[in-house]
Amino acid sequence: MSRYHAFLEQLRASVGAAHVLTEGDLVAWEQDWRKRERGKALAVVRPGSTEEVAQVVQACAQHQVSLVPQGGNTGMVVGSTPDASGTQIVLSLQRMQRIRRLDPANLTVTVEAGCVLQSLQQACADAGYLFPLSLASQGSCTIGGNLATNAGGTQVLRYGTARELCLGLEVVNAEGAVWQGLSGLRKDNTGYDLRHLFIGSEGTLGVITAATMKLYPLPVATLTAFAAVPSLAAAVRLLGLAQQQLGSGLTGFEVMGQFALGLVRKHFAQLPVPFDGSSAYCVVLENADHESEDHARQLFERLLEHALQDGCAVDAVVAASLAQARQLWQVRESIPLAQAQEGLNIKHDISLPVSSIPAFVEETAAAIEQACAGARLVNYGHLGDGNLHFNVQAPAGADAEAFLRDQEGPINALVYDAVARYQGSISAEHGIGSLKREKLVQHKSPVALDWMHSIKRALDPHNRMNPGRLLTPPAP
Ligand code: FAD
Ligand code: MLT
Ligand code: ZN
């Protein structure tokens, strides 16, 4: 009889045999979204309540089994799938989707961790409120995963990251105890703010089972524009103008290099990408207004007129309808999908002071070309937050696997050294997972790393919560 027989029986008794998957095709839980790695799960366990999550974690503690929390499995850094050992369980939160309470007067919503982001946005909109977190993966990613990765996306400029939207958490710790921290308070100075430990912890400290999140009034009108800009420096100038003229109305400012847009033209031919591709970059801007659509349009048109006069934009279009606005956003949001279709690639999710971005890109693009002639730069991102997805695709016609094998190390080193020189971060919004673990050791201060290990030891002394992710495992 297998060493895990009693363990699996205990799980079946807790969550029901139908929710302990050990056979059949488990690829959806075992392989990461980017297809970088396929692991092997001892079982995929799907609890339906916080009590059941606690029982599963208690069983793991009792039988010394480690677990990998998983939401929508859309993470970019190989953090939500099991390793290849066949000894870890995937703890999927997908069945925990309930919205427990929407409190209009407090402008908060309390929701279970497995709720898909888009379902939460829709439920809030139906009730007349805005839940602003917004990512291209929102049809699959979950609020628990968003918090565990401190997700960013396209509205951070105005509303902040998942961390800034979160007021309280419910968490199951490594021993299977439940911490009820579902506060809807905006002020609470009663010592260490524990929720912040779990936000961005990538499942390494506990399992988030529910959260209380901030809501906002729905804007009266939301307009989208698409502009062609001659350079990144011009895009930064346009961002400054937009901030000055739109103030807090500016909710999104995304930049896209022409090569990235070319991939969308190639792989999503049905999507009309505006303009002819002759400008170096394009940007998408969003303006949310609480007065009227006319007011929003006037402000936007004035801004774009200034930009054209200034030369920081060479062409611009404002969406005439919601359907057109959706299409413009789809162009931006299709870039990661188009890139995935083009083949395996080297991803860099970096942040830098906005003012340094043009110089960083010029210098680093030249260094990449020198290191690997013909490598193609897929450069786009959340310029308003200083966050670039500075990705590198194999030279045209080259073998993508060989490119990754031979070039990932040197190109990562080159990019991350430049990021360090410009005082940026090697992970702006995707996290560390297992892909960037070694890089974290090189780029995080030793003092900070030491504190992170101390926190991990205090909350998960037996290293059972998503081991080997984010932090390098302790020596045996
Ligand atoms: P998963 O991928 O399942 O898990 C991610 C990490 O969180 C893992 O370490 C996992 O163990 C942990 N985790 C998951 N749920 C829990 C839980 N309940 N408790 C504790 N730990 C947990 N990210 C951005 O930040 N901005 C973007 O704009 C963005 N765009 C994307 C676009 C596409 C097309 C795709 C595929 C991904 C994108 N992402 C983006 C990355 C990804 O969607 C986010 O990281 C998202 O927050 C992950 O949510 P998830 O539910 O899929 O989590
Ligand atoms: C995005 O902004 O599109 C995402 O973070 C995903 C990605 O970069 O691949
Ligand atoms: Zn992004």
Side-chain angles (χ1 to χ4, degrees):
M1 197 178 293
S2 125
R3 133 155 164 62
Y4 297 108
H5 179 78
F7 170 65
L8 293 171
E9 282 304 304
Q10 196 170 329
L11 294 181
R12 290 184 185 107
S14 295
V15 305
H19 302 302
V20 181
L21 315 180
T22 52
E23 275 157 25
D25 187 3
L26 301 182
V27 66
W29 294 274
E30 291 180 334
Q31 183 159 62
D32 72 298
W33 189 88
R34 289 177 61 207
K35 299 191 168 46
R36 290 290 307 247
E37 280 175 32
R38 165 103 194 238
K40 169 97 190 77
L42 171 61
V44 174
V45 187
R46 295 160 34 95
S49 67
T50 302
E51 295 67 33
E52 288 185 9
V53 172
Q55 285 176 29
V56 171
V57 179
Q58 283 158 19
C60 287
Q62 200 178 326
H63 294 269
Q64 296 161 31
V65 171
S66 60
L67 64 95
V68 183
Q70 191 181 91
N73 196 16
T74 66
M76 289 282 171
V77 288
V78 193
S80 49
T81 46
D83 66 20
S85 66
T87 62
Q88 303 185 317
I89 66 158
V90 170
L91 194 161
S92 167
L93 280 296
Q94 275 169 329
R95 285 178 63 225
M96 293 184 56
Q97 304 191 351
R98 257 183 345 119
I99 294 179
R100 292 189 188 164
R101 180 169 187 222
L102 195 151
D103 183 344
N106 199 42
L107 279 176
T108 51
V109 62
T110 298
V111 59
E112 291 183 347
C115 185
V116 169
L117 175 56
Q118 195 168 297
S119 313
L120 180 60
Q121 292 167 343
Q122 190 58 54
C124 296
D126 291 347
Y129 298 94
L130 173 72
F131 180 63
L133 190 68
S134 199
L135 329 177
S137 54
Q138 61 202 23
S140 326
C141 67
T142 62
I143 199 71
N146 299 151
L147 285 162
T149 56
N150 185 23
T154 55
Q155 302 276 297
V156 172
L157 180 60
R158 166 70 179 85
Y159 300 101
T161 62
R163 182 186 300 283
E164 284 144 295
L165 292 168
C166 178
L167 292 174
L169 287 182
E170 180 185 87
V171 174
V172 173
N173 78 0
E175 298 308 314
V178 181
W179 172 53
Q180 274 300 347
L182 284 176
S183 157
L185 301 177
R186 284 169 173 79
K187 288 184 156 185
D188 178 9
N189 275 352
T190 52
Y192 305 143
D193 198 336
L194 297 176
R195 96 195 108 140
H196 289 306
L197 281 182
F198 296 98
I199 300 172
S201 69
E202 302 184 36
T204 62
L205 299 179
V207 183
I208 297 169
T209 49
T212 299
M213 308 296 292
K214 288 184 197 168
L215 295 177
Y216 289 83
L218 273 174
V220 175
T222 303
L223 294 187
T224 303
F226 203 97
V229 298
S231 64
L232 259 183
V236 169
R237 239 177 29 247
L238 177 54
L239 171 65
L241 271 184
Q243 282 167 326
Q244 235 169 36
Q245 296 192 14
L246 304 177
S248 62
L250 181 67
T251 49
F253 194 102
E254 299 285 311
V255 73
M256 298 154 289
Q258 238 2 293
F259 182 71
L261 288 170
L263 290 181
V264 176
R265 287 189 181 95
K266 177 174 168 189
H267 294 286
F268 293 92
Q270 77 284 7
L271 270 182
V273 180
F275 313 130
D276 60 6
S278 57
S279 65
Y281 286 87
C282 285
V283 299
V284 183
L285 306 83
E286 191 181 82
N287 175 22
D289 197 280
H290 287 269
E291 204 172 305
S292 68
E293 175 154 350
D294 279 352
H295 183 247
R297 206 167 279 281
Q298 272 167 21
L299 287 178
F300 232 166
E301 281 170 359
R302 194 186 62 175
L303 165 71
L304 294 173
E305 217 177 276
H306 280 169
L308 292 170
Q309 272 165 15
D310 171 278
C312 63
V314 291
D315 212 341
V317 58
V318 181
S321 64
L322 274 182
Q324 225 177 63
R326 189 81 289 280
Q327 249 182 9
L328 293 178
W329 273 108
Q330 258 181 325
V331 169
R332 158 63 183 93
E333 288 167 359
S334 300
I335 296 175
L337 305 160
Q339 209 195 343
Q341 291 199 15
E342 185 72 6
L344 289 168
N345 51 73
I346 307 174
K347 252 188 184 316
H348 303 110
D349 161 41
I350 53 178
S351 60
L352 298 150
V354 172
S355 48
S356 305
I357 283 180
F360 167 89
V361 169
E362 196 182 334
E363 177 187 321
T364 315
I368 291 174
E369 175 59 23
Q370 207 169 35
C372 178
R376 298 168 299 165
L377 205 57
V378 188
N379 187 18
Y380 62 97
H382 318 285
L383 187 67
D385 317 325
N387 175 188
L388 282 186
H389 298 305
F390 189 73
N391 304 336
V392 188
Q393 202 97 29
D399 177 67
E401 274 182 33
F403 169 73
L404 216 57
R405 187 189 59 228
D406 301 337
Q407 297 293 343
E408 189 167 29
I411 288 182
N412 278 347
L414 187 158
V415 171
Y416 293 141
D417 288 348
V419 166
R421 276 199 306 283
Y422 280 89
Q423 287 164 8
S425 166
I426 63 160
S427 175
E429 57 172 10
H430 294 163
I432 299 297
S434 53
L435 270 190
K436 294 189 186 165
R437 219 178 51 190
E438 271 80 37
K439 293 290 159 201
L440 187 73
V441 176
Q442 288 165 22
H443 291 281
K444 194 101 181 163
S445 100
V447 176
L449 268 179
D450 191 37
W451 287 346
M452 284 169 69
H453 278 286
S454 302
I455 291 167
K456 172 75 173 169
R457 276 194 303 275
L459 294 188
D460 181 23
H462 303 290
N463 195 24
R464 274 193 291 265
M465 310 300 286
N466 214 359
R469 273 49 202 268
L470 178 55
L471 291 172
T472 312

